[in-house]
Amino acid sequence: MSRTLAESSGTGAAEADLEACFHCGEPVPHGSALTAEIGGRPRPMCCAGCRAVATMIGASGLDSYYRFRDALPSRPDVPDAAGRFEAWDRDAVLDWHGRDAGDGRLDVTLVLENVHCAACAWLVRRFLTDHAGVADARLDIADGRLRLVFEPHRAPLSRLAAGLAGLGYPPHLDAPGADAERDRNERRRMLRYLAVAGLGMMQVMTYAIANYLGAWQGMDAATEQFFKVVSMLVAVPVALYAGQPFYRSALEALARRRAGMDLPIAAALLIALSASVLITLFGHGEVYFDSVVMFLFFLLLGRFAVLTARQRAGALGTALARALPAQARRRTAEGAESVGIVELRPGDRVLVSAGDIVPADGTVRDGRARLDEALMTGEAAPRPRAVGDAVLAGSVVASGQLEIEIAATGRETALAGIVDLLDPARRRRPGITRLADRMAGVFIGVVLVATAVAAAAWWSVDPGRVVPVMLAMLVAACPCALALGTPTALASAARGLARAGLLTVEPDALEVLPRVTRVVFDKTGTLTRREFTVDEVIASAGRASGEILAIAAALERHSTHPLAAAFRIHDTGLEASGVEVHELGVAGTVDGRNWCIGRADWVGQRLGIEAGGAGAASRIVLADRGGELHAIGVSAGMRRGADALVARLREAGIGVTLASGDHEGPVAEMAGRLGIDDVHARMRPADKLALVESLRARGEIVAVVGDGVNDAPVLAGADVSVAMADGAPLAGTQADLVCVGTSLDAVIEAFAHAPRVRSVIRQNLGWALAYNVSVLPLAALGWVPPWAAAIGMSASSLAVVLNARRLAGAERR
């Protein structure tokens, strides 16, 4: 590289190099007198932007940044930022992009430019947390996303954003196109490297062929030297430019005192290039310019294929994030007005008609329509929606028109919840991947030692063979395929399952799923549909059924339990006060009387009465302290795919358990319909967790499938957990996998897909290990020329990537 961190940025360097900017490392224009005081000494600066940033860092007491960083920043463009971010303080923007973090704080995600290394994260965090009103700031250097928790009235977002821009990290609100734009830029940058390497390879190979033919037919020394010089003039700039990804990665690994995967690659390139330049200028012998550029081209080709596969794996999250319209039609007293989606508030009413996209979560207040909810639920057929029905942001109106009362916008919608689940999942590194990385790190150390030993041996036998042997060993035995085999397989598998309607929150689950020996199912909302209806009312005390249901609806309005939805249609607007929501029921005051509704034993214990009469044991009970006791029958049909899933599990020899909080009657009926023998009724969440722990204690690998409402503890305690997306709020679920459809077909696909995932991972790791172990001794013996080593290593990486891509073919059933 033309400059190093030690030369251009480290405070431990010698006197500041007057030809390099201390901040960004760019050349200082001749005659420039710009300086900034860092570490008590004046440091040269190339421009006013660098001086402004360096002065801000020094004045804030953050000089340590220059010691910690292991990559150079871009030259900052620091215009007057005072007015650039004023709009970010508006309530509409904060409500849309922020999430309430309690105590008057907001949680906002920003995307920063020019994030290069861990020192960037340190600098940003220290700079922001020094501001009064900033509670937390966490920067992910992998994608430049900054999670900021702050108090808007004490630390306006515009002021914080202007400060970040002044530091050289211009911020952007996390918008749907942020990932797409970054992915495009990453592909373009890699394509530039690939194009330069490809053109350089073709050019240098032309000169190399001339040399090969000349050596066979006879060529004078001057002509041979001419072709070497011309090859050098092409190969050196090509290798230095197109090899930047590997040089940067190797330097970062060395700065962290680790043997990164790109270290042998960078070493091979620079050793071969340096040796060839020295031979061309000062000595005689064979040069390797053609091998260097060929190796670089094939390696970049493999990296580009991996990059494409990784970006495709994240395509679902991008599609979800971009699913909302830019504008909506809001109902007003005069009719309707077109407003930006960020201006919508809970309680607003919006109009949608055929072809429109629902802009936020809400409830239908007028009209009838059929909505295509495939993006959210996986259902191919449009579903009818009428007054009182809930609708989800991102749904498309297939026919009809609706007036919707907004309940949640922005990051509070179910759609945002899915995106929030997917983002950390894409960045999380599964245990098996970390194991493969450790194996690759150990193998790199072995390769470096073996290369040094082989070089010493060849030096005593034939010094002319030292460089080609070292080059071949470093290139051929690079464990790229070993490190790529597992993450590409898991990413492809997650993409395939997402197409089937199952989102992967915890990638480790795909590795554990094939080893599951028992599956524990919840009943209500999991094996049954969530659309419950009241089918029976057993009244007492002379009350009419409608009056009983109105009281029940007033209480259940405050509950998120699936059974509560059955009373929505009976809600007359009656108000309940002092409401307490419990695991097994709801208590509150309606018309001056204290009522309880829920499971019979809970109601009886709560009120100190006998609540088992009137058929109450198998029904919901509504009672008060005055002795009134009513039983309400609520039922729901079986969820689609439940019978097929249980049958598939039994065929595979996997045990099935039904654990429900419902009464023995309904639970036994469901178990009989599905052929489940191990049945547990009247179970509280703590009882379910104890059951799972007892199963695990006897050696079972347990998967739990629940709706996430009151199953969070047992979902968190299982080896693998699956939650239904139409259950609890998605952002709070404890599940490893989330089924976004209204059927269980996607869970069937997961159990069928998991063994293939394990098989492909084993194939990839086996192939990579076999290739690396076998090619290393061949290269040490001099039997593998450098150009063949380059092709072999790239082919090995491409093979595992292409093998992994087979897992992306899971189709929706």
Side-chain angles (χ1 to χ4, degrees):
M1 298 180 69
S2 59
R3 51 189 164 85
T4 66
L5 294 177
E7 293 171 338
S8 59
S9 64
T11 55
E15 284 301 316
D17 183 359
L18 295 179
E19 295 183 353
C21 175
F22 186 78
H23 179 74
C24 74
E26 294 290 339
V28 174
H30 182 70
S32 173
L34 292 175
T35 62
E37 187 170 323
I38 300 293
R41 289 189 290 172
R43 307 287 186 173
M45 297 289 150
C46 65
C47 64
C50 285
R51 183 175 65 173
V53 173
T55 300
M56 182 185 296
I57 292 173
S60 302
L62 302 176
D63 300 17
S64 297
Y65 163 71
Y66 292 104
R67 293 200 308 271
F68 295 155
R69 66 181 182 179
D70 50 37
L72 292 167
S74 303
R75 179 185 293 179
D77 176 20
V78 192
D80 179 15
R84 289 174 56 193
F85 304 103
E86 285 183 357
W88 289 19
D89 293 331
R90 295 176 182 170
D91 290 341
V93 175
L94 293 175
D95 289 346
W96 182 261
H97 291 280
R99 176 175 290 158
D100 185 8
D103 298 327
R105 298 171 178 170
L106 276 183
D107 183 342
V108 171
T109 299
L110 303 177
V111 180
L112 305 188
E113 296 181 17
N114 301 330
V115 174
H116 298 285
C117 61
C120 297
W122 177 87
L123 177 62
V124 168
R125 178 177 174 81
R126 286 290 305 272
F127 173 77
L128 291 173
T129 53
D130 281 347
H131 285 72
V134 175
D136 193 18
R138 299 183 183 181
L139 177 61
D140 186 340
I141 61 175
D143 61 4
R145 272 185 165 78
L146 169 69
R147 183 175 179 181
L148 181 63
V149 180
F150 68 106
E151 300 174 50
H153 63 284
R154 296 181 62 197
L157 185 58
S158 61
R159 191 176 73 199
L160 300 177
L164 289 170
L167 270 183
Y169 302 99
H172 305 274
L173 290 168
D174 193 9
D179 283 333
E181 182 64 26
R182 184 167 51 248
D183 287 349
R184 278 195 298 271
N185 291 338
E186 195 173 6
R187 286 197 302 272
R188 287 170 182 165
R189 185 164 54 250
M190 187 61 74
L191 280 172
R192 285 197 298 269
Y193 294 143
L194 188 60
V196 170
L199 292 172
M201 180 184 69
M202 289 187 290
Q203 196 67 36
V204 174
M205 286 300 297
T206 302
Y207 306 140
I209 290 173
N211 261 331
Y212 297 150
L213 292 176
W216 179 46
Q217 295 182 344
M219 178 184 293
D220 61 89
T223 304
E224 181 181 358
Q225 182 66 13
F226 169 77
F227 281 119
K228 286 182 180 180
V229 171
V230 173
S231 297
M232 179 184 70
L233 293 176
V234 175
V236 169
V238 166
L240 292 178
Y241 173 77
Q244 288 183 69
F246 311 109
Y247 307 142
R248 288 200 192 103
S249 177
L251 282 174
E252 290 171 5
L254 288 174
R256 295 193 301 269
R257 299 181 180 179
R258 294 178 54 191
M261 211 174 15
D262 289 333
L263 181 58
I265 293 174
L269 288 171
L270 294 177
I271 289 173
L273 199 64
S274 301
S276 299
V277 169
L278 291 174
I279 290 171
T280 300
L281 297 179
F282 305 111
H284 299 281
E286 187 176 354
V287 294
Y288 304 98
F289 295 122
D290 54 335
S291 297
V292 169
V293 291
M294 181 186 293
F295 166 52
L296 194 53
F297 174 77
F298 283 114
L299 185 63
L300 287 169
L301 189 63
R303 290 291 172 91
F304 183 74
V306 173
L307 172 68
T308 303
R310 176 173 60 81
Q311 291 182 352
R312 285 181 177 176
L316 177 70
T318 300
L320 288 170
R322 302 182 68 180
L324 297 182
Q327 293 184 319
R329 286 182 294 150
R330 183 168 60 188
R331 167 75 75 184
T332 64
E334 294 76 24
E337 62 177 348
S338 181
V339 297
I341 193 171
V342 298
E343 298 180 66
L344 295 178
R345 296 286 186 281
D348 286 350
R349 296 200 175 192
V350 296
L351 304 174
V352 293
S353 54
D356 290 342
I357 299 174
V358 177
D361 292 355
T363 304
V364 177
R365 294 306 180 202
D366 189 27
R368 299 181 64 87
R370 297 181 68 83
L371 297 188
D372 180 354
E373 300 175 346
L375 186 65
M376 288 290 296
T377 67
E379 293 295 320
R383 304 181 65 187
R385 289 289 182 261
V387 175
D389 290 337
V391 294
L392 300 176
S395 304
V396 180
V397 182
S399 62
Q401 57 185 11
L402 299 172
E403 181 175 320
I404 301 169
E405 182 177 339
I406 300 300
T409 64
R411 293 180 64 188
E412 302 300 326
T413 62
L415 180 68
I418 291 180
V419 175
D420 284 348
L421 283 172
L422 289 178
D423 282 345
R426 293 210 305 266
R427 294 190 290 270
R428 191 176 293 128
R429 297 182 65 77
I432 191 170
T433 300
R434 295 192 295 269
L435 175 61
D437 286 349
R438 288 195 295 270
M439 292 170 59
V442 172
F443 193 77
I444 287 172
V446 172
V447 169
L448 294 175
V449 172
T451 302
V453 172
W458 277 105
W459 184 265
S460 63
V461 176
D462 184 358
R465 299 290 301 277
V466 171
V467 172
V469 167
M470 289 181 64
L471 180 58
M473 291 181 67
L474 290 171
V475 170
C478 178
C480 294
L482 180 63
L484 290 173
T486 300
T488 52
L490 291 177
S492 295
R495 180 181 170 215
L497 289 176
R499 291 172 59 190
L502 196 71
L503 303 182
T504 304
V505 179
E506 176 53 67
D508 273 330
L510 299 180
E511 196 273 329
V512 177
L513 208 56
R515 299 186 283 114
V516 166
T517 60
R518 180 163 295 274
V519 178
V520 177
F521 287 99
D522 175 50
K523 181 181 77 73
T524 306
T526 301
L527 293 177
T528 62
R529 294 195 302 268
R530 298 190 60 79
E531 294 84 5
F532 289 89
T533 58
V534 175
D535 53 19
E536 182 183 22
V537 178
I538 302 176
S540 65
R543 283 190 185 269
S545 296
E547 187 179 1
I548 293 170
L549 293 175
I551 295 171
L555 294 169
E556 294 286 8
R557 187 188 307 143
H558 300 272
S559 174
T560 59
H561 194 282
L563 290 174
F567 297 91
R568 184 184 302 154
I569 195 172
H570 304 288
D571 195 338
T572 61
L574 200 62
E575 291 297 329
S577 60
V579 176
E580 299 178 24
V581 180
H582 299 268
E583 294 176 358
L584 304 178
V586 182
T589 302
V590 181
D591 280 344
R593 301 179 66 175
N594 296 323
W595 293 91
C596 288
I597 185 171
R599 212 167 75 178
D601 56 350
W602 178 81
V603 171
Q605 181 181 7
R606 173 88 180 186
L607 298 178
I609 63 174
E610 175 57 47
S618 60
R619 297 174 176 84
I620 293 175
V621 166
L622 175 68
D624 75 344
R625 294 188 183 278
E628 284 196 38
L629 178 67
H630 313 283
I632 304 171
V634 177
S635 64
M638 186 183 298
R639 191 184 283 266
R640 183 162 59 86
D643 50 352
L645 173 57
V646 173
R648 180 69 64 89
L649 293 173
R650 292 172 62 121
E651 289 174 6
I654 298 174
V656 179
T657 295
L658 177 58
S660 174
D662 207 346
H663 302 283
E664 288 86 349
V667 175
E669 179 186 357
M670 176 63 69
R673 292 172 63 184
L674 294 174
I676 300 175
D677 299 325
D678 187 20
V679 182
H680 304 266
R682 294 177 174 269
M683 299 200 79
R684 299 171 182 266
D687 299 329
K688 294 182 182 180
L689 180 58
L691 172 64
V692 169
E693 289 175 344
S694 67
L695 291 171
R696 296 182 65 192
R698 71 188 194 198
E700 299 261 26
I701 306 297
V702 181
V704 172
V705 184
D707 63 357
V709 176
N710 54 7
D711 293 325
V714 70
L715 288 171
D719 293 292
V720 180
S721 53
V722 183
M724 308 305 296
D726 52 7
L730 287 172
T733 186
Q734 299 294 318
D736 301 317
L737 304 165
V738 176
C739 183
V740 297
T742 57
S743 79
L744 289 167
D745 290 344
V747 184
I748 299 175
E749 182 64 38
F751 277 95
H753 206 50
R756 296 199 295 270
V757 176
R758 181 172 58 179
S759 176
V760 168
I761 289 175
R762 288 178 174 177
Q763 290 169 12
N764 282 354
L765 293 179
W767 159 253
L769 281 172
Y771 169 77
N772 287 132
V773 170
S774 62
V775 78
L776 187 61
L778 297 178
L781 292 172
W783 295 351
V784 180
W787 61 267
I791 294 176
M793 191 277 293
S794 298
S796 177
S797 299
L798 285 172
V800 298
V801 171
L802 294 176
N803 189 42
R805 288 187 64 181
R806 297 189 296 118
L807 295 172
E811 295 294 340
R812 189 179 287 119
R813 294 185 176 218

